[in-house]
Amino acid sequence: MQTKLTKLLGIRCPIIQGGMAWIADASLASAVSNAGGLGIISAMNAGADWVREEIRKCRAMTDKPFGVNIMLMSPHVEEVAQMVAEEKVPVVTTGAGNPSRFVKMWKEAGIKILPVVASTALAKMVERAGADAVIAEGGESGGHVGDLTTMALVPQVADAVKIPVVAAGGIGDARGVVASFALGACGVQMGTRFLVAKECTVSEEYKKKVLAAKDISTMVTGRRLGHPVRAIKTTYTNQYAKLEADSNFPDEKLEEFGVGSLRLAAKEGNTEKGCFLAGQIAGMVNREQTAAEMIEEIMADVEKRMEGVQWDV
Ligand code: TUI
């Protein structure tokens, strides 16, 4: 299926994989890219050497386009931004900030730039800076969330910019893809569904939690420190929420409480101290499949649902 997004990126299906910290490595990224979507390696808080290694592994496993997600709050953001330009990765997505200062360098390296935005203001800013498309991510998503829902954000971003818009947050199957087209997007980004891909190397405990999740199984914590994140409700999120609500508990201690929790969930499957980031559609994710099975199933269902529908996507 061709849309503005597939044409921009040279991919077969308008599906981008979310850049999930501690999870989205060369294994998942190459599987998604080989399946016709755009696989993404998460640079999270890692140094340039680790990310470069994953890029090289990914290149060995796929000849299709793939991308790197750069989390702009990372302490290593400058060196990673430089390194992806040197490596000339096909695509960069960004999250949790404004990437405008890197756009010139990435464009000179021939990289397609797709910042994740949670507001029309940032969408306009990155368009002016030279972004190729924007990913409008609503607060139904897992991980770091903005205030608006996908339903409210995507059409407003689509009105605010001329570049292609990708919808993210709360999309887990063909219904979400078709709804995204109706909202003015020409593709989607999905994270939570890919958590249970066979090629996803996340801990088994993490996959089990996503598979067991219901519609109301996630919650947002971290608002007090200014970086709200959505995760599956666990002992950890309940404890965090209590400490966050306690005005006598100092900010520094709250910050400390969160340190290492993403790694403990993703790598060690620690159900006591881990923070299992996932989006609101976790309740729809009920079985493990290969990334190719997921993408084929979704695209076949999209085509069925779009029969007779003429939209300019
Ligand atoms: O970035 C994400 N999701 C993430 S990042 C992450 S790692 C992390 N660890 C600890 C604390 C916080 C994050 C886990 N999940 N999604 C993309 C996204 N970006 N969602 C929302 C935004 C966003 C929000 C505000 C982007 C820009 C922004 O303001 C930009 C500015 O500075 O004007």
Side-chain angles (χ1 to χ4, degrees):
M1 176 182 194
Q2 290 289 294
T3 74
K4 289 177 198 121
L5 183 70
T6 60
K7 287 175 203 156
L8 173 69
L9 302 180
I11 56 178
R12 198 166 55 80
C13 309
I15 299 177
I16 300 177
Q17 168 232 316
M20 301 168 283
W22 289 104
I23 296 169
D25 58 8
S27 169
L28 181 60
S30 61
V32 171
S33 287
N34 283 330
L38 185 80
I40 298 282
I41 295 163
S42 167
M44 48 167 180
N45 282 339
D49 290 345
W50 183 87
V51 184
R52 197 193 298 270
E53 191 65 23
E54 289 304 304
I55 291 169
R56 294 190 175 164
K57 279 191 222 163
C58 190
R59 285 205 158 113
M61 290 189 277
T62 186
D63 57 1
K64 304 279 190 305
F66 65 94
V68 173
N69 174 262
I70 300 192
M71 211 277 280
L72 294 161
M73 290 182 348
S74 164
H76 304 290
V77 64
E78 303 290 332
E79 58 170 282
V80 172
Q82 184 82 48
M83 181 277 295
V84 294
E86 285 162 24
E87 289 288 326
K88 298 192 188 323
V89 297
V91 180
V92 164
T93 66
T94 63
N98 182 348
S100 296
R101 68 186 188 281
F102 300 120
V103 167
K104 184 168 171 280
M105 173 172 65
W106 291 339
K107 281 184 93 77
E108 280 169 9
I111 296 172
K112 297 278 189 287
I113 305 161
L114 285 78
V116 173
V117 302
S119 68
T120 55
L122 187 59
K124 285 195 254 190
M125 239 183 273
V126 299
E127 176 180 56
R128 225 176 298 130
D132 295 282
V134 285
I135 303 171
E137 186 179 283
E140 298 94 320
S141 71
H144 186 55
V145 290
D147 285 329
L148 295 177
T149 60
T150 303
M151 180 80 95
L153 178 67
V154 173
Q156 295 189 71
V157 170
D159 285 344
V161 298
K162 293 197 181 70
I163 52 178
V165 177
V166 178
I171 302 159
D173 65 13
R175 292 170 298 182
V177 178
V178 178
S180 299
F181 291 155
L183 293 173
C186 57
V188 299
Q189 176 185 270
M190 299 195 313
T192 303
R193 174 104 186 236
F194 287 122
L195 281 172
V196 301
K198 293 219 167 100
E199 299 89 347
C200 181
T201 58
V202 77
S203 66
E204 278 308 309
E205 284 304 324
Y206 209 126
K207 289 190 177 183
K208 273 194 208 150
K209 285 218 180 289
V210 175
L211 293 168
K214 300 184 298 184
D215 53 350
I216 56 166
S217 295
T218 71
M219 67 184 289
V220 175
T221 56
R223 289 197 194 282
R224 188 173 123 188
L225 296 181
H227 39 79
V229 296
R230 181 177 299 284
I232 295 177
K233 290 177 194 164
T234 55
T235 320
Y236 168 85
T237 56
N238 290 337
Q239 284 172 340
Y240 191 104
K242 277 205 192 91
L243 296 172
E244 188 171 29
D246 177 358
S247 54
N248 291 320
F249 195 77
D251 283 0
E252 308 81 68
K253 283 249 179 336
L254 195 58
E255 188 92 53
E256 232 170 76
F257 188 76
V259 171
S261 60
L262 302 186
R263 188 189 61 79
L264 285 173
K267 294 289 171 201
E268 294 180 21
N270 186 327
T271 54
E272 290 298 311
K273 296 187 178 144
C275 180
F276 295 78
L277 300 182
Q280 287 183 328
I281 58 97
M284 309 199 310
V285 177
N286 300 317
R287 63 197 197 289
E288 225 176 321
Q289 292 171 298
T290 64
E293 284 164 352
M294 290 178 183
I295 290 179
E296 289 311 317
E297 180 187 289
I298 292 170
M299 290 316 299
D301 196 15
V302 166
E303 306 236 324
K304 219 160 56 189
R305 287 169 188 275
M306 296 274 291
E307 239 167 64
V309 178
Q310 286 302 324
W311 282 335
D312 180 26
V313 291

